[in-house]
Amino acid sequence: MVALDGPAGTGKSTVAKRLATALDARYLDTGSMYRAVALAVLRAGVDPADEVKVSEVADNAVLVVGTSPEKPGITLDGDDVAAEIRGPEVSLAVSPVSATRHVRELLVAQQRAIIADALDHVGGIVVEGRDIGTVVSPEAPLKVFLTASADARAARRTKQDTAAGRQSTVDAALADVRRRDKYDSSRAVSPMKAADDAVEVDNTELDLAGTVDALLDLVQQRGLRVTG
Ligand code: DC
């Protein structure tokens, strides 16, 4: 198993999927689970900052998350929500929702079950998030904390937004990157931080292929399975 943590804008999702494909392993995007709960909260008309109501919504939401690196997929109460959870409303609501203790307890339990199942049946899984190496799977044989400078992450975001036809400026992206970093690393429950024994990989100067290669080297150095 590979635990891949780090902030947004590092290319973490793309890197995690490519790594899983190269290793013939499963893939779990834990951020998509927090996003799906945030969508359930919005659909229920609940204030994302209301911990009691958010917890109730989370208890009643039926989430099914796929683990194929090619097409992970996620459903909420039977609806395919893979596209909707990437929208701006969900991106805003997910910070307070993911800071809710009960939501984290529920999702961490579900994540551990998915990981155990993948390890039993397939033999390998790459799991991406913020607290995988620290909380979800402290026993993971390889933990990577992927970072890049705030400027590099903001520039990547602006490029993505522009390519997708959304208006974007580097200044606004930088402000947003800093806001989310601060929120994710200062929350009381499971703040984002590197595990003591995580390998920190800074990809400010690396492209996606270079980052995947760096991680594949680490997998090999640890003697983890490479294929099959
Ligand atoms: O990686 P992402 O942007 O899809 O994550 C969405 C939000 O969920 C982000 O605000 C951080 C939070 N998150 C978390 O708290 N713990 C995780 N394991 C994964 C994501």
Side-chain angles (χ1 to χ4, degrees), residues 61-98:
V62 180
L63 283 192
V64 179
V65 56
T67 60
S68 150
E70 284 77 30
K71 202 173 184 302
I74 182 158
T75 63
L76 167 65
D77 301 328
D79 269 1
D80 177 349
V81 292
E84 205 177 343
I85 58 169
R86 305 289 159 197
E89 293 85 4
V90 170
S91 295
L92 214 65
V94 70
S95 290
V97 168
S98 67

Side-chain angles (χ1 to χ4, degrees), residues 153-204:
R153 290 186 285 127
R156 289 170 187 165
R157 168 86 75 78
T158 312
K159 209 169 141 189
Q160 269 173 5
D161 282 346
T162 309
R166 288 187 293 264
Q167 259 201 329
S168 179
T169 65
V170 177
D171 282 351
L174 186 60
D176 195 52
V177 159
R178 293 209 164 118
R179 175 188 67 82
R180 283 182 51 172
D181 283 359
K182 191 160 173 241
Y183 200 104
D184 289 346
S185 41
S186 63
R187 68 176 173 226
V189 196
S190 302
M192 175 178 68
K193 65 175 170 49
D196 290 341
D197 53 350
V199 182
E200 202 160 317
V201 174
D202 183 323
N203 75 357
T204 304

